[in-house]
Amino acid sequence: MKQRILTGLIGGIGFIYLVWLGELPYTILVILLALIGYYELLRMNQTPVFSWQGLIGLNTVLFIILTQNSLLAGIDRQQLMSLLLVSLFLYLALIVIKKNEINFDQVSYHLFGAMYIGFGFSYMLETRLMEHGFQFSLLVFLATFASDSGAYFTGKYLGKTKLWPEISPKKTIEGSIGGIVFAIIVSLLLNAMFQITEHFMLMIWAGILIAITGQFGDLIESALKRSKGVKDSGSLLPGHGGVLDRFDSLIFVFPILHLLHIL
């Protein structure tokens, strides 16, 4: 627990500093996190990073982020579908070239994984590039962190009813409710500091939505790890596991908030 708290404090302060800086430093950080996250996805599947399927997936993640945020000269987000079709056709071609050494299940895993990670981190970056992006990003980051921490400690001391034992045996309904309450409190505190909106109830609903979608994101990654028989996605962050372990909630929350036009 001490290692977890120490890593969280040091990493959190450094991360928030880069969020505050924004622009190139934050862009580089998000791209690195996305590429490391996809590497962890490959590792869980025992796919070599320098295999054809690994390289296609890594480049798909990179180009999703660059294209979605219009960071490549001459290429905009309207051409994103073409990029995904190219990746799909390359993967399908590998099935034939590799004589079924790579099958449709593998193609689905690698391409869907690239989209899952690529779009998740892409919308994280897009939020920061918006007007008032720092405040919006800080709201999502801290409310999600509050939900994670609140769910953990509430579940540890008050949890009795299992939430979804087939996927994550330790999570409880009481912990889930505690996470929602903590997210609401943090959302309201941040709104008091930055005046994000004049509507009190809107921040309450924002906290609820961030907490619920964040918990879904956590369960999604838990299901992925369970299907691959691993405990953590990686070991980059002592006490926290890998990038996907730490950012699993966020890469689900950010796209949902954009899809619902909340951000």
Side-chain angles (χ1 to χ4, degrees), residues 233-252:
S233 66
S235 56
L236 181 66
L237 305 171
H240 292 267
V243 167
L244 292 182
D245 293 315
R246 184 66 276 173
F247 288 86
D248 53 0
S249 297
L250 291 166
I251 61 176
F252 194 70

Side-chain angles (χ1 to χ4, degrees), residues 9 142 159 194 230 236:
L9 284 175
L142 294 186
F194 295 110
V230 298
L236 181 66

Side-chain angles (χ1 to χ4, degrees), residues 184 187-188 191 197-209:
I184 292 172
S187 298
L188 292 173
N191 191 51
T197 178
E198 298 177 354
H199 302 288
F200 179 82
M201 284 303 301
L202 183 60
M203 292 309 299
I204 292 178
W205 284 114
I208 293 172
L209 182 61

